[in-house]
Amino acid sequence: MLRRLQTLLQRKFKILLFFLLLLALLMHMALDLALPAAPSSCSCTPKAANPLGLLPSGPLVSVQKKLSLRILQDFSGSNGSLEKASLPVSGSLPAGGGSKTVLRDGDFKHRWAGVKSAWTGRSKMAALFEHPLYKIPIPELVKKDKLFSVNPKEKFTLKNSGSDEWVSSSKAKMVLPTGETPYDTYPTWLRFHIGINRYELYSRQDPITPTLLEELATQKIIGSVQKPGGTQLKLIMTFPNFGEALFKPMKQTRDQETSADFFYFSDFERHNAEIAAFHLDRILDFRRIPPVSGRLVNITKEVRDITTDKKLARTFFISPASNVCFFGECSYYCSTEHALCGKPDQLEGSMAALLPDKELAKRHSWRSPWRRSYHKSKKAEWELNQNYCAQVRKTPPYDSGSRLLDLIDMTVLDFLMGNMDRHHYETFEKFGNDTFLLHLDNGRGFGRHSHDEMSILAPLQQCCSIKKSTFLRLQLLATEPYRLSDVMRESLASDHLSPVLSEPHLEALDRRLQRVLDMVRVCMAKGGQKEVLVDDMGKLRKGIWQHQETRSKQA
């Protein structure tokens, strides 16, 4: 009897519990339906409507917005946007514990293709070149300040016979039937040569430079021979308009850093370093490196099949991977083990515009006072004597004019790109000692982004002198609106082999720039600003500017 009563009570309790749960569910549904239609019981004055007609944002709305944004981000990853959005604005890879990936050079472009730079939407480079520091005029040119004296009536043309001769006619009229002047008939490389003067290789706003860069990257190649001399392989490329370029093939991928065990004199010469050096030189407003452009060369059709260099032709072979390879003849890395191979015959390289032939415009080669020993164990005198600069200041041509300051400019350029291989430099003989230094052969720059070689700055550290204009521009490039890495990234983006430098190299530019500025500030703390910063901004009464004033008065 007790068991039956207990079972009956359990059943009734379960039924009662079921009805209670059902009632709670019905009440919950009724409230959900009734609340949206119920009039507001608040008698307060309603807030002004949102201008866009949106509901006021509350905690719930904020959560919904964040959730929607997250969902959009998740779906955007299907086309690569997620990877791009995950990178910082500066374009550098996020620091973290992820595994490092070794990339082939073909993968490099894809890796950095989505990097968003800080100058997106606004050109920092254009703003930089509009700054007053980049508008300081050079002295007025007289005849002696120009590398070439050109007859404006000379016309450049080619014979129709197919002999490809350059015919110049002094009988040509000032205005041709086409409406062009004889100067307009000159090929771009010739106009570049004509524009060289005592103070610069090309002007800041020179319209010829962009055209020349494009021609270096795209013009048909009709001849390829090996450049004699030198430690590593270089080719001279010839174009249909008689222009020539120096081709340096790719030996290292962009993300590959030079080993710390390499001596500076046995390092590879990098094609992208030549390209980046030209852009950096222009951004620093030196304009002492001939235009350089990147190019993808078909080494079968544009080298092997057209070369007249038998020694070069004999070094071509097909690799086990069925790629076309060659190695040429040189002091370093010209062997089967260090062959240059295409994919299967496409090979990157730098194309540098050649300067006028030395028979037309002689150049003087100067041994750098701060030349390294180029020995595995010996050190140069400047490495042992901290007062070495006092000796240099007494030695011509560093005892007058701007030669020492120009050499320190070159030192800053070399330090920023990590180039330790500056044993000589050149000048045009026509201009004597009062002219700029040519910053040639920069292939050993941009090798180690993780190391700053402070010994490159020895001339600046020991002499504690720098042009005021150079220092002010360096200061400007250290500010956010004109940050050096951003301007370089933008400038290099125009090259056909873009991206030319990896992000670590661009970041190293900003770091090294600060080191240069710190060194100058240390010098100013020791000797005073007037002693360290030499005024060269148009009012300097000594050296090159003084000589120019004398020539102008005589003219």
Side-chain angles (χ1 to χ4, degrees), residues 308-416:
T308 57
D309 189 334
K310 294 182 179 179
K311 291 183 178 179
L312 175 64
R314 283 198 294 264
T315 66
F316 276 84
F317 64 93
I318 304 298
S319 73
S322 300
N323 293 322
V324 180
C325 305
F326 71 106
F327 51 85
E329 292 186 354
C330 61
S331 303
Y332 292 101
Y333 307 121
C334 281
S335 62
T336 307
E337 293 78 17
H338 298 98
L340 305 169
C341 299
K343 293 183 178 180
D345 52 10
Q346 301 292 314
L347 181 64
E348 288 186 13
S350 63
M351 298 283 281
L354 290 185
L355 293 172
D357 192 282
K358 290 185 178 181
E359 293 184 2
L360 299 175
K362 293 182 179 179
R363 301 197 300 270
H364 186 86
S365 179
W366 303 82
R367 181 188 174 103
S368 172
W370 279 271
R371 181 185 185 272
R372 297 179 183 274
S373 66
Y374 285 81
H375 192 276
K376 294 178 181 178
S377 57
K378 291 182 180 179
K379 290 189 176 182
E381 183 180 354
W382 59 267
E383 294 178 279
L384 304 172
N385 180 11
Q386 287 302 310
N387 295 322
Y388 180 75
C389 184
Q391 177 182 334
V392 175
R393 287 184 186 273
K394 298 176 183 178
T395 307
Y398 307 100
D399 58 344
S400 63
S402 63
R403 177 60 64 88
L404 181 59
L405 296 172
D406 288 336
L407 190 141
I408 292 175
D409 279 350
M410 184 169 61
T411 293
V412 171
L413 173 72
D414 284 336
F415 176 72
L416 290 176

Side-chain angles (χ1 to χ4, degrees), residues 174-198:
M174 287 300 293
V175 179
L176 303 177
T178 58
E180 298 177 327
T181 64
Y183 176 80
D184 295 325
T185 66
Y186 297 167
T188 309
W189 63 265
L190 182 57
R191 286 191 247 182
F192 164 60
H193 289 175
I194 292 172
I196 299 173
N197 60 63
R198 181 182 298 274

